Amino acid sequence: MSEAIYCFDTATVRFAIYPEGLAGERVIAEISEDPLRDLFGAGGGGDTLVEAYKANAAIIDACALEHHHSAPHHPVLLETRDFEAMEHMAGA
C-alpha cells in the first residue's frame, strides 16, 4: 500500500517513509517532478508521477531514508542531483 500523492502546488509527489520500520515514526518526504520525469519515466500528469514513484519506490525510499538519517530535523525533498550516484552505478 502506497501513501503517495501528487501535490500540484509544490509540483512534487509526497510519500511516507518509516526510518524505524512500520511500527515507528512516519516521516513525510517529497520528490520533485524532474527526477520522476527524467530518471523514472513519468510522462504525463500527476497520476503518472505517482505511478513512477510507486514503480521505483524501493530506490526513492532508500534515497529519502539516507537523507533523513543524515539530517533528521530537516525536510526531505529529493531532486535529480540526489540520484546522481545511482546514475553512475547504472552506467558502470
Side-chain angles (χ1 to χ4, degrees):
M1 180 176 128
S2 175
E3 298 178 61
I5 60 168
Y6 177 67
C7 298
F8 179 80
D9 60 327
T10 58
T12 62
V13 170
R14 200 170 285 162
F15 59 97
I17 55 174
Y18 295 86
E20 307 304 324
L22 290 176
E25 167 192 23
R26 180 178 118 169
V27 174
I28 302 300
E30 295 179 272
I31 182 169
S32 73
E33 285 189 26
D34 290 339
L36 291 168
R37 292 186 190 286
D38 299 342
L39 304 175
F40 298 112
D47 290 344
T48 66
L49 295 165
V50 171
E51 289 306 315
Y53 163 76
K54 288 179 181 178
N56 297 282
I59 295 165
I60 296 168
D61 289 359
C63 187
L65 285 166
E66 183 178 311
H67 278 262
H68 174 73
H69 287 303
S70 67
H73 301 291
H74 291 85
V76 176
L77 173 59
L78 302 177
E79 301 284 352
T80 300
R81 69 180 171 269
D82 297 313
F83 297 94
E84 288 176 353
M86 180 187 74
E87 289 177 342
H88 295 303
M89 291 172 56

